[in-house]
Amino acid sequence: MGQIITQVDAFTNTPFAGNPAAVCVLLAPQSDRWMQNVAQEMNLSETAFLIKQDDGFNLRWFTPTVEVPLCGHATLASAHVLWSEAHLLPDEIARFYTKSGVLIAKRQVNWIELDFPVNHSQATVAPEELGQALGVECKSVFQNSLGYLVEVESEDLVRQMQPNFQQLKMLPVSNVLVTSLTDSNSEYDFVSRFFAPGFGINEDPVTGAAHCCLAPFWRDRLGKDEFLAYQASSRGGVVKVRYTGGDRVFLAGQAVTVLRGELITNKQ
């Protein structure tokens, strides 16, 4: 039997929404080249590879072009697979050993909560070309390890913007997280979109790592610790965010399996 790979839509409870990730619970260790080739073949924003380690699983994430140090939606998808395919019992915690340290996932009824490192942003002076590439006026611009964090004036601007990705790729920092408060009658606290041509992804549908930046950003401005957030890509996705200060952010989402398949070969 070949290697099983599962495709999961994360940060949604509806198939064909949220952010799709492929999850591969490895039968045996594989080379970096093989994992990158599989990620390219899957051609999703992220493919996650897990292998049993001590009291948890080693976890790595690959886009079609590069390995990344942290990915929220593929971690959520991985936890979903571990429970739904009986790698873990329903009441067991999912513990992941990653390049971003130990990450924990817990089941909470129909939601999965992730324990992630916070990512603070610093105010910066952005190049004039940033606003031109985004096609909007930047209300404020910050920078963090993920890229630029840009606040704009309204939810409509976030939803309707159509960046010039060729121009974004030419900037010194080409990944941009755009956010705003929602309209007063919305069920959500804030909206966002994440453009990541630097990672080989023009727009990521729903980005857990981005909410590690958004949590302290909006906590400072709104004076509250819990948020319901919406990432307004064409697929869309919902993230519960909890941040009380310190160095950890708690992100909760839902997930649904849409596809299971078999990799016929483990060769390079």
Side-chain angles (χ1 to χ4, degrees):
M1 183 176 179
Q3 176 69 63
I4 298 298
I5 194 160
T6 304
Q7 186 168 318
V8 175
D9 288 341
F11 292 113
T12 181
N13 61 0
T14 304
F16 315 121
N19 201 350
V23 178
C24 195
V25 183
L26 294 171
L27 302 173
Q30 298 290 341
S31 69
D32 290 7
R33 178 184 174 188
W34 182 87
M35 289 187 285
Q36 187 64 75
N37 284 342
V38 171
Q40 184 177 18
E41 186 78 9
M42 296 305 297
N43 200 31
L44 299 170
S45 61
E46 300 287 347
T47 298
F49 297 91
L50 301 94
I51 193 162
K52 192 76 174 73
Q53 176 185 324
D54 302 325
D55 59 344
F57 292 82
N58 181 274
L59 171 60
R60 296 172 70 181
W61 310 274
F62 289 79
T63 78
T65 57
V66 296
E67 183 177 6
V68 296
L70 183 68
C71 177
H73 86 278
T75 305
L76 179 66
S78 297
H80 169 80
V81 166
L82 291 180
W83 284 308
S84 63
E85 298 184 6
H87 297 281
L88 290 176
L89 297 174
D91 59 347
E92 285 187 287
I93 290 173
R95 180 176 285 101
F96 301 110
Y97 295 93
T98 80
K99 292 188 175 182
S100 293
V102 178
L103 306 177
I104 301 294
K106 298 179 180 178
R107 292 184 69 175
Q108 295 183 334
V109 192
N110 295 323
W111 294 72
I112 296 171
E113 184 180 73
L114 308 175
D115 178 348
F116 267 34
V118 70
N119 192 343
H120 291 286
S121 305
Q122 305 297 324
T124 189
V125 178
E128 184 176 318
E129 293 81 4
L130 176 60
Q132 294 172 358
L134 293 174
V136 297
E137 183 176 344
C138 302
K139 182 178 178 181
S140 60
V141 181
F142 293 74
Q143 191 169 350
N144 51 59
S145 63
L146 203 60
Y148 287 122
L149 192 166
V150 174
E151 182 186 7
V152 298
E153 194 62 47
S154 72
E155 179 179 348
D156 283 345
L157 282 176
V158 174
R159 290 177 177 272
Q160 295 172 12
M161 64 191 303
Q162 297 181 335
N164 183 318
F165 294 109
Q166 291 305 314
Q167 283 186 301
L168 278 182
K169 288 178 183 178
M170 297 178 67
L171 296 177
V173 178
S174 58
N175 298 331
V176 185
L177 171 60
V178 181
T179 187
S180 79
L181 289 174
T182 53
D183 298 335
S184 58
N185 61 348
S186 174
E187 64 180 302
Y188 305 108
D189 294 290
F190 60 82
V191 294
S192 67
R193 290 172 70 186
F194 182 51
F195 309 107
F199 290 153
I201 309 160
N202 281 347
E203 181 169 6
D204 194 36
V206 196
T207 316
H211 288 79
C212 295
C213 312
L214 293 166
F217 180 85
W218 285 115
R219 182 177 187 262
D220 289 346
R221 283 151 186 78
L222 299 179
K224 56 190 289 187
D225 298 334
E226 296 187 8
F227 309 91
L228 188 63
Y230 185 74
Q231 191 156 331
S233 65
S234 59
R235 291 174 64 98
V238 178
V239 186
K240 288 182 180 179
V241 182
R242 178 166 59 90
Y243 178 59
T244 59
D247 60 358
R248 308 301 293 180
V249 175
F250 297 91
L251 309 175
Q254 297 173 291
V256 57
T257 298
V258 294
L259 178 69
R260 293 185 81 234
E262 181 182 349
L263 291 169
I264 302 302
T265 178
N266 289 338
K267 296 180 181 179
Q268 298 300 324

